[in-house]
Amino acid sequence: MSELAKFINNPFDRSNIHRGYSESFLHMTPAPEYASGEVLVSSIYRAIGFPNIPEGDVPEKGKKFIQRMKSEHENLHVLDQETWKLVINSTLESPRLPSQSAKRVVSLCPVVPWVAAYSGSARMTRMSWNPGNLIKRMIRFGCNSHTDASNKWRRFFDALSIDDSDDPWSRLLCQEFIERTEASENWTYRDLEIMSQLNSWKLPNHSFPSQQFVEDLDKIIDLKPRLTRRQWVSILESLLRIASVSHIAWLCELNARTFSLLRDALGGNKPETLRAVENRLFENPSTIWDLNVPILKNIRKIARSYLEARVGINYFLFLVEQEGYSNPHYKNIDMIGSVAWIFELASILYNHRNKLDYTYHMEQYFQATEKDIRILSCKKGIGKNIEEFSRHVLGQRLAADDRFLTYDQGYFARKQAQYTSAPWKLSPGPVAVMMLCHCCVSSSTAPRTVEHLCEHLSSYKIGIKPNEIRLSEFGRTLRNLGLVLDSPDAEGGMVVLDPFKT
């Protein structure tokens, strides 16, 4: 059986993905699964500063930490034992999900790095994924070179670390945790490894979520001296939430546009130039979510488009390899190393369209996509995981304990009613609104209006028009927080203020 036939027989199996796709910038790796805002923060701690703590070890380390805390008797630390227990069980307590209410799960707010050694794993199993690797990849996506990305990565580590500029409470926590940690739990800088599949991926004059994320991350890092540690971590968490989900949505859209280009090339639509291909793939980026509109329908839609595109791109790669087509300028045309390679692959499909029956290969493609309709409909597999990741990261955190109903204020979506099946609608929380306003306003020395804020939101796939803000819930939040001023010279009559300006 040929490689193409094997792929058609089981197109959603990870082991059947073409190597040219798995090593390309189009490949969604790591594939997202469940996460929350605090899981993102905890996992980035582990990805950047705990090289000896795998994700799967976190739950067991958490249990051992609690056991050690219970068995300690001597007051060898600044805080006595009873006070330390109060800190862990109350002050740093993070709400458990309703499904975790009866489970013995260590759940702590990631105020300082060492909390991540014992809490904040995405799954309570040894097979848990690390969302921090997704953030790492986003930083590499948003930078022009590995050197630039390494510098950003190092600056991020320095900001996440605790030093003399941090508030006394975080320094005290740092001291207490260090005295109680094991040797393998040392906070140490972890170099950003070279991501070869991203080295040749450059898109001048085009914007995308990871690029905006890298710019905004610098602004949030600069903000650290003005806030307490807990305030700053909350602002950072909110940025990580919207940036990670919008990056996944953008990657889904990029796959869909790439497949559409290749399919049209085989159908006789010639890709004229590399610039035309770049424009088709990256110009006019769409918004995915509208304010006060349910989010799950569009998330499911983009996840399905990604699955269909992934099957199609891999199908064409296997087809080109099987037929032995090549290009003198690209010896490995079956490897998608850059946008230029997508252009060459499309050109090959166009040049050989008379030898390749378009109708037959489209029928083969549809046959492959329908192998498991539950995967394609996002009932299981990666489509379901994309939906789950987006919902939990964007959505306000649900809590088993009513005391924590208002714990999460950095969300971007919340339930519109109390019943279980109530829709999740896009409606940023107060912390998210402050973060967005700060990143928007601090990017320029000139006054910023709600029009600029709408442009900033569109960078993260959120759509809203300036004249829609005034009567929206988002507009009410802006006014309640004192983040807009009426001005006859401003678009929509409102100027946006920086909540953290001194």
Side-chain angles (χ1 to χ4, degrees), residues 385-437:
N385 289 340
I386 290 174
E387 181 180 328
E388 186 180 41
F389 172 79
S390 302
R391 208 289 284 156
H392 285 281
V393 170
L394 290 180
Q396 185 177 23
R397 189 169 180 181
L398 301 178
D401 191 331
D402 290 345
R403 293 177 301 144
F404 295 100
L405 291 180
T406 59
Y407 178 87
D408 181 8
Q409 296 296 308
Y411 60 86
F412 285 84
R414 63 184 182 88
K415 274 183 171 289
Q416 294 301 290
Q418 296 299 319
Y419 57 92
T420 305
S421 59
W424 288 88
K425 292 187 178 181
L426 196 73
S427 180
V431 171
V433 172
M434 289 192 290
M435 181 275 295
L436 291 169
C437 288

Tab-separated table of all heavy atoms in Angstrom, residues 385-437:
chain	number	residue	atom	x	y	z
A	385	ASN	N	-10.518	19.203	21.114
A	385	ASN	CA	-9.519	19.792	22.004
A	385	ASN	C	-9.340	21.287	21.752
A	385	ASN	O	-9.147	22.066	22.697
A	385	ASN	CB	-8.176	19.074	21.832
A	385	ASN	CG	-8.186	17.679	22.410
A	385	ASN	OD1	-9.017	17.352	23.252
A	385	ASN	ND2	-7.276	16.834	21.958
A	386	ILE	N	-9.387	21.702	20.482
A	386	ILE	CA	-9.299	23.123	20.159
A	386	ILE	C	-10.473	23.869	20.770
A	386	ILE	O	-10.322	24.955	21.353
A	386	ILE	CB	-9.256	23.332	18.632
A	386	ILE	CG1	-7.921	22.840	18.062
A	386	ILE	CG2	-9.470	24.800	18.279
A	386	ILE	CD1	-7.847	22.874	16.553
A	387	GLU	N	-11.655	23.293	20.648
A	387	GLU	CA	-12.846	23.911	21.225
A	387	GLU	C	-12.744	23.992	22.742
A	387	GLU	O	-13.058	25.024	23.351
A	387	GLU	CB	-14.081	23.107	20.817
A	387	GLU	CG	-15.385	23.681	21.335
A	387	GLU	CD	-16.586	22.860	20.906
A	387	GLU	OE1	-16.559	22.276	19.807
A	387	GLU	OE2	-17.565	22.806	21.683
A	388	GLU	N	-12.277	22.920	23.368
A	388	GLU	CA	-12.150	22.887	24.824
A	388	GLU	C	-11.104	23.889	25.305
A	388	GLU	O	-11.318	24.610	26.283
A	388	GLU	CB	-11.781	21.479	25.289
A	388	GLU	CG	-11.763	21.311	26.790
A	388	GLU	CD	-11.398	19.901	27.221
A	388	GLU	OE1	-10.482	19.320	26.603
A	388	GLU	OE2	-12.009	19.377	28.158
A	389	PHE	N	-9.978	23.941	24.616
A	389	PHE	CA	-8.924	24.895	24.974
A	389	PHE	C	-9.441	26.326	24.900
A	389	PHE	O	-9.270	27.121	25.833
A	389	PHE	CB	-7.730	24.704	24.032
A	389	PHE	CG	-6.654	25.747	24.180
A	389	PHE	CD1	-5.736	25.674	25.215
A	389	PHE	CD2	-6.559	26.798	23.276
A	389	PHE	CE1	-4.740	26.638	25.350
A	389	PHE	CE2	-5.575	27.758	23.390
A	389	PHE	CZ	-4.661	27.679	24.437
A	390	SER	N	-10.084	26.666	23.798
A	390	SER	CA	-10.558	28.036	23.593
A	390	SER	C	-11.612	28.418	24.622
A	390	SER	O	-11.586	29.531	25.168
A	390	SER	CB	-11.131	28.181	22.177
A	390	SER	OG	-10.166	27.849	21.198
A	391	ARG	N	-12.530	27.522	24.901
A	391	ARG	CA	-13.607	27.831	25.833
A	391	ARG	C	-13.080	28.069	27.230
A	391	ARG	O	-13.430	29.044	27.911
A	391	ARG	CB	-14.614	26.678	25.851
A	391	ARG	CG	-16.042	27.066	26.198
A	391	ARG	CD	-16.241	27.459	27.630
A	391	ARG	NE	-16.259	26.352	28.559
A	391	ARG	CZ	-15.967	26.455	29.846
A	391	ARG	NH1	-15.579	27.608	30.361
A	391	ARG	NH2	-16.023	25.414	30.638
A	392	HIS	N	-12.184	27.208	27.699
A	392	HIS	CA	-11.684	27.321	29.075
A	392	HIS	C	-10.690	28.461	29.236
A	392	HIS	O	-10.623	29.068	30.311
A	392	HIS	CB	-11.062	25.995	29.517
A	392	HIS	CG	-12.065	24.936	29.838
A	392	HIS	ND1	-12.745	24.890	31.033
A	392	HIS	CD2	-12.521	23.890	29.101
A	392	HIS	CE1	-13.575	23.855	31.039
A	392	HIS	NE2	-13.459	23.238	29.879
A	393	VAL	N	-9.917	28.757	28.206
A	393	VAL	CA	-8.944	29.856	28.313
A	393	VAL	C	-9.643	31.210	28.215
A	393	VAL	O	-9.353	32.119	28.998
A	393	VAL	CB	-7.860	29.727	27.226
A	393	VAL	CG1	-6.997	30.981	27.167
A	393	VAL	CG2	-6.973	28.510	27.510
A	394	LEU	N	-10.584	31.342	27.299
A	394	LEU	CA	-11.297	32.604	27.159
A	394	LEU	C	-12.351	32.796	28.243
A	394	LEU	O	-12.601	33.914	28.695
A	394	LEU	CB	-11.977	32.689	25.789
A	394	LEU	CG	-11.095	32.849	24.556
A	394	LEU	CD1	-11.965	32.913	23.304
A	394	LEU	CD2	-10.224	34.086	24.646
A	395	GLY	N	-12.994	31.716	28.655
A	395	GLY	CA	-14.136	31.817	29.543
A	395	GLY	C	-13.782	32.115	30.987
A	395	GLY	O	-12.713	31.742	31.480
A	396	GLN	N	-14.692	32.808	31.663
A	396	GLN	CA	-14.517	33.070	33.084
A	396	GLN	C	-14.481	31.750	33.837
A	396	GLN	O	-15.279	30.848	33.578
A	396	GLN	CB	-15.657	33.941	33.608
A	396	GLN	CG	-15.480	34.357	35.060
A	396	GLN	CD	-16.587	35.290	35.534
A	396	GLN	OE1	-17.678	35.295	34.969
A	396	GLN	NE2	-16.307	36.079	36.561
A	397	ARG	N	-13.561	31.656	34.754
A	397	ARG	CA	-13.352	30.391	35.454
A	397	ARG	C	-14.530	30.069	36.368
A	397	ARG	O	-14.922	30.875	37.215
A	397	ARG	CB	-12.066	30.458	36.270
A	397	ARG	CG	-11.643	29.122	36.850
A	397	ARG	CD	-10.248	29.230	37.398
A	397	ARG	NE	-9.787	27.989	37.970
A	397	ARG	CZ	-8.595	27.836	38.524
A	397	ARG	NH1	-7.771	28.858	38.574
A	397	ARG	NH2	-8.227	26.673	39.024
A	398	LEU	N	-15.096	28.879	36.191
A	398	LEU	CA	-16.162	28.409	37.068
A	398	LEU	C	-15.546	27.831	38.326
A	398	LEU	O	-14.442	27.274	38.298
A	398	LEU	CB	-17.005	27.349	36.350
A	398	LEU	CG	-17.685	27.796	35.051
A	398	LEU	CD1	-18.436	26.632	34.421
A	398	LEU	CD2	-18.617	28.966	35.301
A	399	ALA	N	-16.241	27.941	39.441
A	399	ALA	CA	-15.695	27.490	40.724
A	399	ALA	C	-16.689	26.598	41.439
A	399	ALA	O	-17.905	26.822	41.392
A	399	ALA	CB	-15.337	28.680	41.603
A	400	ALA	N	-16.148	25.572	42.093
A	400	ALA	CA	-16.991	24.679	42.876
A	400	ALA	C	-17.485	25.364	44.146
A	400	ALA	O	-18.552	25.037	44.667
A	400	ALA	CB	-16.218	23.405	43.223
A	401	ASP	N	-16.700	26.333	44.631
A	401	ASP	CA	-17.023	27.049	45.868
A	401	ASP	C	-17.559	28.434	45.522
A	401	ASP	O	-16.915	29.201	44.799
A	401	ASP	CB	-15.756	27.164	46.731
A	401	ASP	CG	-16.045	27.638	48.139
A	401	ASP	OD1	-17.033	28.367	48.328
A	401	ASP	OD2	-15.276	27.287	49.048
A	402	ASP	N	-18.723	28.788	46.055
A	402	ASP	CA	-19.334	30.086	45.774
A	402	ASP	C	-18.481	31.271	46.223
A	402	ASP	O	-18.661	32.389	45.738
A	402	ASP	CB	-20.712	30.183	46.439
A	402	ASP	CG	-21.731	29.266	45.783
A	402	ASP	OD1	-21.449	28.792	44.662
A	402	ASP	OD2	-22.798	29.009	46.380
A	403	ARG	N	-17.539	31.034	47.120
A	403	ARG	CA	-16.670	32.118	47.579
A	403	ARG	C	-15.813	32.671	46.441
A	403	ARG	O	-15.318	33.790	46.507
A	403	ARG	CB	-15.750	31.632	48.691
A	403	ARG	CG	-16.437	31.269	50.001
A	403	ARG	CD	-15.401	30.739	50.979
A	403	ARG	NE	-14.699	29.568	50.461
A	403	ARG	CZ	-13.408	29.318	50.675
A	403	ARG	NH1	-12.669	30.186	51.356
A	403	ARG	NH2	-12.859	28.208	50.204
A	404	PHE	N	-15.608	31.878	45.391
A	404	PHE	CA	-14.691	32.253	44.320
A	404	PHE	C	-15.414	32.644	43.030
A	404	PHE	O	-14.808	32.631	41.956
A	404	PHE	CB	-13.733	31.092	44.026
A	404	PHE	CG	-12.805	30.758	45.155
A	404	PHE	CD1	-13.073	29.691	45.991
A	404	PHE	CD2	-11.678	31.518	45.390
A	404	PHE	CE1	-12.221	29.368	47.040
A	404	PHE	CE2	-10.816	31.216	46.430
A	404	PHE	CZ	-11.085	30.142	47.265
A	405	LEU	N	-16.681	32.977	43.114
A	405	LEU	CA	-17.439	33.296	41.902
A	405	LEU	C	-16.866	34.495	41.162
A	405	LEU	O	-16.975	34.610	39.939
A	405	LEU	CB	-18.916	33.545	42.260
A	405	LEU	CG	-19.713	32.317	42.722
A	405	LEU	CD1	-21.147	32.702	43.051
A	405	LEU	CD2	-19.693	31.222	41.654
A	406	THR	N	-16.249	35.436	41.878
A	406	THR	CA	-15.668	36.630	41.244
A	406	THR	C	-14.142	36.583	41.233
A	406	THR	O	-13.486	37.614	41.037
A	406	THR	CB	-16.132	37.904	41.983
A	406	THR	OG1	-15.722	37.837	43.357
A	406	THR	CG2	-17.640	38.050	41.916
A	407	TYR	N	-13.580	35.405	41.427
A	407	TYR	CA	-12.121	35.259	41.494
A	407	TYR	C	-11.462	35.669	40.176
A	407	TYR	O	-10.458	36.384	40.161
A	407	TYR	CB	-11.786	33.802	41.828
A	407	TYR	CG	-10.315	33.475	41.876
A	407	TYR	CD1	-9.574	33.645	43.039
A	407	TYR	CD2	-9.666	32.977	40.742
A	407	TYR	CE1	-8.224	33.334	43.084
A	407	TYR	CE2	-8.320	32.658	40.774
A	407	TYR	CZ	-7.598	32.840	41.943
A	407	TYR	OH	-6.266	32.535	41.978
A	408	ASP	N	-12.017	35.215	39.062
A	408	ASP	CA	-11.427	35.462	37.747
A	408	ASP	C	-12.009	36.742	37.148
A	408	ASP	O	-13.207	36.826	36.877
A	408	ASP	CB	-11.727	34.262	36.834
A	408	ASP	CG	-11.120	34.415	35.449
A	408	ASP	OD1	-10.352	35.374	35.238
A	408	ASP	OD2	-11.416	33.570	34.572
A	409	GLN	N	-11.149	37.747	36.925
A	409	GLN	CA	-11.572	38.999	36.317
A	409	GLN	C	-10.825	39.296	35.017
A	409	GLN	O	-11.029	40.339	34.406
A	409	GLN	CB	-11.360	40.154	37.300
A	409	GLN	CG	-12.194	40.072	38.560
A	409	GLN	CD	-13.684	40.171	38.270
A	409	GLN	OE1	-14.141	41.093	37.602
A	409	GLN	NE2	-14.449	39.200	38.753
A	410	GLY	N	-9.971	38.365	34.591
A	410	GLY	CA	-9.201	38.568	33.357
A	410	GLY	C	-9.756	37.794	32.183
A	410	GLY	O	-9.075	37.612	31.170
A	411	TYR	N	-10.995	37.370	32.273
A	411	TYR	CA	-11.624	36.553	31.229
A	411	TYR	C	-11.999	37.390	30.007
A	411	TYR	O	-12.031	38.630	30.044
A	411	TYR	CB	-12.876	35.876	31.794
A	411	TYR	CG	-13.931	36.846	32.295
A	411	TYR	CD1	-14.882	37.390	31.442
A	411	TYR	CD2	-13.967	37.233	33.637
A	411	TYR	CE1	-15.838	38.295	31.899
A	411	TYR	CE2	-14.919	38.128	34.109
A	411	TYR	CZ	-15.850	38.659	33.234
A	411	TYR	OH	-16.783	39.554	33.684
A	412	PHE	N	-12.332	36.695	28.915
A	412	PHE	CA	-12.815	37.349	27.702
A	412	PHE	C	-14.206	36.869	27.300
A	412	PHE	O	-14.796	37.421	26.372
A	412	PHE	CB	-11.833	37.113	26.552
A	412	PHE	CG	-10.601	37.942	26.659
A	412	PHE	CD1	-9.528	37.526	27.439
A	412	PHE	CD2	-10.500	39.159	26.002
A	412	PHE	CE1	-8.388	38.303	27.560
A	412	PHE	CE2	-9.368	39.943	26.116
A	412	PHE	CZ	-8.307	39.517	26.899
A	413	ALA	N	-14.711	35.859	27.950
A	413	ALA	CA	-16.067	35.366	27.672
A	413	ALA	C	-16.689	34.916	28.985
A	413	ALA	O	-15.999	34.435	29.879
A	413	ALA	CB	-16.030	34.215	26.673
A	414	ARG	N	-17.991	35.083	29.097
A	414	ARG	CA	-18.677	34.633	30.303
A	414	ARG	C	-20.063	34.116	29.948
A	414	ARG	O	-20.636	34.451	28.912
A	414	ARG	CB	-18.785	35.761	31.328
A	414	ARG	CG	-19.607	36.951	30.904
A	414	ARG	CD	-19.551	38.039	31.961
A	414	ARG	NE	-20.370	39.191	31.619
A	414	ARG	CZ	-21.660	39.316	31.930
A	414	ARG	NH1	-22.280	38.338	32.577
A	414	ARG	NH2	-22.341	40.395	31.590
A	415	LYS	N	-20.606	33.289	30.830
A	415	LYS	CA	-21.944	32.760	30.617
A	415	LYS	C	-22.969	33.881	30.741
A	415	LYS	O	-22.854	34.754	31.601
A	415	LYS	CB	-22.239	31.661	31.642
A	415	LYS	CG	-21.769	30.270	31.234
A	415	LYS	CD	-22.172	29.246	32.276
A	415	LYS	CE	-21.901	27.830	31.781
A	415	LYS	NZ	-22.826	27.429	30.711
A	416	GLN	N	-23.986	33.816	29.897
A	416	GLN	CA	-25.008	34.852	29.912
A	416	GLN	C	-26.170	34.528	30.843
A	416	GLN	O	-27.100	35.323	30.985
A	416	GLN	CB	-25.537	35.069	28.496
A	416	GLN	CG	-24.495	35.639	27.556
A	416	GLN	CD	-23.966	36.983	28.039
A	416	GLN	OE1	-24.683	37.977	28.016
A	416	GLN	NE2	-22.712	37.013	28.474
A	417	ALA	N	-26.124	33.339	31.457
A	417	ALA	CA	-27.163	32.950	32.415
A	417	ALA	C	-26.583	31.884	33.327
A	417	ALA	O	-25.459	31.406	33.123
A	417	ALA	CB	-28.402	32.444	31.695
A	418	GLN	N	-27.341	31.491	34.342
A	418	GLN	CA	-26.842	30.566	35.347
A	418	GLN	C	-27.030	29.105	34.983
A	418	GLN	O	-26.394	28.235	35.555
A	418	GLN	CB	-27.531	30.844	36.691
A	418	GLN	CG	-27.214	32.213	37.270
A	418	GLN	CD	-25.733	32.392	37.558
A	418	GLN	OE1	-25.071	31.489	38.055
A	418	GLN	NE2	-25.215	33.571	37.243
A	419	TYR	N	-27.932	28.801	34.029
A	419	TYR	CA	-28.182	27.393	33.721
A	419	TYR	C	-27.008	26.786	32.952
A	419	TYR	O	-26.232	27.481	32.302
A	419	TYR	CB	-29.495	27.225	32.946
A	419	TYR	CG	-29.586	28.010	31.651
A	419	TYR	CD1	-29.201	27.434	30.436
A	419	TYR	CD2	-30.069	29.321	31.641
A	419	TYR	CE1	-29.297	28.139	29.254
A	419	TYR	CE2	-30.167	30.034	30.460
A	419	TYR	CZ	-29.784	29.446	29.264
A	419	TYR	OH	-29.870	30.143	28.092
A	420	THR	N	-26.885	25.459	33.032
A	420	THR	CA	-25.704	24.753	32.539
A	420	THR	C	-25.431	24.991	31.064
A	420	THR	O	-24.281	25.176	30.651
A	420	THR	CB	-25.847	23.242	32.792
A	420	THR	OG1	-26.099	23.025	34.179
A	420	THR	CG2	-24.586	22.497	32.370
A	421	SER	N	-26.467	24.990	30.227
A	421	SER	CA	-26.277	25.101	28.782
A	421	SER	C	-26.293	26.544	28.281
A	421	SER	O	-26.388	26.785	27.080
A	421	SER	CB	-27.368	24.309	28.057
A	421	SER	OG	-28.659	24.798	28.410
A	422	ALA	N	-26.204	27.506	29.192
A	422	ALA	CA	-26.201	28.918	28.785
A	422	ALA	C	-25.004	29.195	27.875
A	422	ALA	O	-23.913	28.668	28.082
A	422	ALA	CB	-26.143	29.816	30.012
A	423	PRO	N	-25.182	30.021	26.840
A	423	PRO	CA	-24.085	30.276	25.895
A	423	PRO	C	-22.967	31.116	26.507
A	423	PRO	O	-23.210	31.956	27.384
A	423	PRO	CB	-24.780	31.036	24.762
A	423	PRO	CG	-25.948	31.690	25.405
A	423	PRO	CD	-26.409	30.732	26.465
A	424	TRP	N	-21.756	30.881	26.023
A	424	TRP	CA	-20.606	31.691	26.400
A	424	TRP	C	-20.469	32.808	25.382
A	424	TRP	O	-20.258	32.556	24.200
A	424	TRP	CB	-19.339	30.847	26.432
A	424	TRP	CG	-19.273	29.895	27.571
A	424	TRP	CD1	-19.762	28.625	27.623
A	424	TRP	CD2	-18.661	30.135	28.847
A	424	TRP	NE1	-19.505	28.055	28.850
A	424	TRP	CE2	-18.823	28.960	29.621
A	424	TRP	CE3	-17.993	31.213	29.414
A	424	TRP	CZ2	-18.351	28.843	30.921
A	424	TRP	CZ3	-17.513	31.101	30.715
A	424	TRP	CH2	-17.692	29.931	31.445
A	425	LYS	N	-20.604	34.050	25.832
A	425	LYS	CA	-20.524	35.184	24.932
A	425	LYS	C	-19.269	36.012	25.213
A	425	LYS	O	-18.835	36.118	26.353
A	425	LYS	CB	-21.771	36.065	25.068
A	425	LYS	CG	-23.045	35.393	24.570
A	425	LYS	CD	-24.218	36.343	24.569
A	425	LYS	CE	-25.472	35.672	24.014
A	425	LYS	NZ	-26.626	36.601	23.980
A	426	LEU	N	-18.725	36.591	24.141
A	426	LEU	CA	-17.509	37.388	24.289
A	426	LEU	C	-17.834	38.671	25.037
A	426	LEU	O	-18.622	39.500	24.561
A	426	LEU	CB	-16.912	37.712	22.923
A	426	LEU	CG	-15.462	38.187	22.969
A	426	LEU	CD1	-14.545	37.021	23.272
A	426	LEU	CD2	-15.056	38.846	21.668
A	427	SER	N	-17.250	38.834	26.194
A	427	SER	CA	-17.483	40.003	27.044
A	427	SER	C	-16.315	40.133	27.997
A	427	SER	O	-16.297	39.521	29.067
A	427	SER	CB	-18.799	39.852	27.813
A	427	SER	OG	-19.039	40.968	28.633
A	428	PRO	N	-15.266	40.899	27.644
A	428	PRO	CA	-14.051	40.967	28.468
A	428	PRO	C	-14.315	41.455	29.883
A	428	PRO	O	-15.123	42.359	30.109
A	428	PRO	CB	-13.165	41.966	27.704
A	428	PRO	CG	-13.679	41.939	26.307
A	428	PRO	CD	-15.148	41.703	26.422
A	429	GLY	N	-13.631	40.839	30.844
A	429	GLY	CA	-13.724	41.244	32.235
A	429	GLY	C	-12.907	42.494	32.506
A	429	GLY	O	-12.139	42.964	31.646
A	430	PRO	N	-13.015	43.046	33.712
A	430	PRO	CA	-12.329	44.308	34.048
A	430	PRO	C	-10.816	44.256	33.848
A	430	PRO	O	-10.227	45.204	33.311
A	430	PRO	CB	-12.692	44.520	35.518
A	430	PRO	CG	-13.965	43.760	35.720
A	430	PRO	CD	-13.884	42.579	34.817
A	431	VAL	N	-10.177	43.189	34.291
A	431	VAL	CA	-8.719	43.090	34.141
A	431	VAL	C	-8.339	43.000	32.668
A	431	VAL	O	-7.355	43.614	32.225
A	431	VAL	CB	-8.182	41.867	34.920
A	431	VAL	CG1	-6.715	41.618	34.591
A	431	VAL	CG2	-8.350	42.076	36.416
A	432	ALA	N	-9.111	42.253	31.891
A	432	ALA	CA	-8.846	42.149	30.452
A	432	ALA	C	-8.997	43.502	29.771
A	432	ALA	O	-8.192	43.866	28.901
A	432	ALA	CB	-9.791	41.129	29.823
A	433	VAL	N	-10.007	44.261	30.157
A	433	VAL	CA	-10.231	45.587	29.571
A	433	VAL	C	-9.067	46.518	29.909
A	433	VAL	O	-8.570	47.264	29.040
A	433	VAL	CB	-11.567	46.172	30.068
A	433	VAL	CG1	-11.704	47.627	29.631
A	433	VAL	CG2	-12.735	45.348	29.538
A	434	MET	N	-8.605	46.489	31.152
A	434	MET	CA	-7.470	47.333	31.536
A	434	MET	C	-6.209	46.939	30.771
A	434	MET	O	-5.443	47.804	30.337
A	434	MET	CB	-7.237	47.230	33.048
A	434	MET	CG	-8.305	47.915	33.880
A	434	MET	SD	-7.867	48.085	35.634
A	434	MET	CE	-7.952	46.375	36.151
A	435	MET	N	-5.993	45.652	30.613
A	435	MET	CA	-4.827	45.193	29.859
A	435	MET	C	-4.872	45.686	28.424
A	435	MET	O	-3.879	46.202	27.880
A	435	MET	CB	-4.763	43.659	29.905
A	435	MET	CG	-3.577	43.034	29.183
A	435	MET	SD	-3.838	42.775	27.398
A	435	MET	CE	-5.160	41.554	27.424
A	436	LEU	N	-6.040	45.546	27.767
A	436	LEU	CA	-6.178	45.962	26.376
A	436	LEU	C	-5.971	47.469	26.228
A	436	LEU	O	-5.305	47.927	25.292
A	436	LEU	CB	-7.557	45.563	25.851
A	436	LEU	CG	-7.803	44.060	25.661
A	436	LEU	CD1	-9.275	43.796	25.394
A	436	LEU	CD2	-6.951	43.512	24.523
A	437	CYS	N	-6.551	48.250	27.151
A	437	CYS	CA	-6.406	49.709	27.084
A	437	CYS	C	-4.948	50.119	27.268
A	437	CYS	O	-4.443	51.001	26.556
A	437	CYS	CB	-7.287	50.378	28.129
A	437	CYS	SG	-9.056	50.325	27.750
